[in-house]
Amino acid sequence: MSENAVPSQTLTEYCNSLDYYNVNFDVYNRVSQRINRFSDWIDKSLPKLADSMEISLPATGTLNVLSVGAGNGTIDSRILPHLRDKVHPNVRAIFLEPDLHTFQQCQDLVGKESPRLQGKSGGGQFWQFLNTSLGQEKDFFTSFDLEEACRKQNIMISEVQPIGIYVNVSCCFDPPQELTEDGRYLLDTITRSVNFAQTAAAELRKDVLRFLRSDTCSSITADGQVILDGSNSAYIIRRP
């Protein structure tokens, strides 16, 4: 493997390892308390957002929603009934989820209803870095793509509501042979790779960890903990 080579297993192979994909994501959810953070947003911010959408949406219209990285639908199953009951009965939804089995779980749980939830965050910045700087294949969708697509189509984003999700990734910076299980799974989750610490060239691993630690992606606490900004956002687009 050359000094600048990327791991041979990219996101497609990562997602094809179903058990590994699910274990990785479970660790990420636990460490970031992602479900709790979304639940806080649903309880505190979604009602006001729903009120503003109800005012602007005509009775004959359709509420279009997009869920990027919907997972197994746990969050969507809470948001969508609220939107359907409080905003509009006609909901057309699209899921974007790289793992087919997880996608099917999501469909089973919430049918064809899904929210538009994906944000520009430290995580998004990091994955963009992997694409543009390290040559990793573009086989997943981020907020950068969403915003670029809107720009090219002259679609104005009316409102962005951040959903704060922060992940302590300090355990990812230990030497490969000393990584804890959480550290290994988190590093694979955020790099979208399988066994990144062991398969990546030393120089590549150094570059990736340096960027992950940078203030573009993370903040450093007083006691030296590295906290990745993995925040999501709700994008609201209103028809003129």
Side-chain angles (χ1 to χ4, degrees), residues 110-179:
V110 298
K112 295 182 179 180
E113 299 175 324
S114 167
R116 184 164 211 154
L117 295 173
Q118 174 71 15
K120 177 181 287 185
S121 63
Q125 298 276 359
F126 181 75
W127 298 325
Q128 185 77 355
F129 170 76
L130 290 177
N131 288 328
T132 59
S133 300
L134 304 180
Q136 193 172 73
E137 294 181 10
K138 183 66 174 181
D139 46 14
F140 56 92
F141 189 84
T142 73
S143 60
F144 290 93
D145 303 289
L146 186 149
E147 293 181 5
E148 181 67 8
C150 288
R151 185 189 66 79
K152 288 182 177 180
Q153 295 295 322
N154 294 318
I155 298 173
M156 181 177 295
I157 297 175
S158 303
E159 184 179 353
V160 179
Q161 288 206 359
I163 304 169
I165 299 174
Y166 301 94
V167 192
N168 189 332
V169 294
S170 304
C171 56
C172 296
F173 292 85
D174 293 330
Q177 65 276 13
E178 298 178 15
L179 280 176

Side-chain angles (χ1 to χ4, degrees), residues 27-28 31 167-168 171-172 182-190:
V27 170
Y28 181 85
V31 174
V167 192
N168 189 332
C171 56
C172 296
D182 277 5
R184 178 166 58 86
Y185 285 142
L186 279 176
L187 191 55
D188 284 357
T189 299
I190 61 181

Side-chain angles (χ1 to χ4, degrees), residues 36 41 79-80 152 174 211 238:
N36 290 340
W41 179 81
I79 294 175
L80 291 169
K152 288 182 177 180
D174 293 330
F211 192 80
R238 293 183 171 89

Side-chain angles (χ1 to χ4, degrees), residues 11-23:
L11 179 64
T12 301
E13 294 163 288
Y14 171 78
C15 292
N16 285 340
S17 304
L18 177 59
D19 291 339
Y20 195 72
Y21 173 88
N22 288 329
V23 169

Side-chain angles (χ1 to χ4, degrees), residues 21-91:
Y21 173 88
N22 288 329
V23 169
N24 273 254
F25 200 64
D26 286 345
V27 170
Y28 181 85
N29 276 341
R30 171 171 54 79
V31 174
S32 67
Q33 297 187 330
R34 177 175 171 270
I35 302 300
N36 290 340
R37 300 290 78 78
F38 268 104
S39 295
D40 289 344
W41 179 81
I42 291 169
D43 294 336
K44 297 175 182 178
S45 300
L46 185 58
K48 292 181 181 179
L49 177 60
D51 288 342
S52 70
M53 294 170 67
E54 184 178 14
I55 293 172
S56 62
L57 194 63
T60 57
T62 300
L63 178 63
N64 295 302
V65 290
L66 171 67
S67 182
V68 183
N72 63 8
T74 301
I75 298 299
D76 303 71
S77 66
R78 289 198 56 197
I79 294 175
L80 291 169
H82 191 99
L83 294 178
R84 185 186 60 237
D85 296 340
K86 302 296 184 181
V87 179
H88 206 282
N90 299 324
V91 177

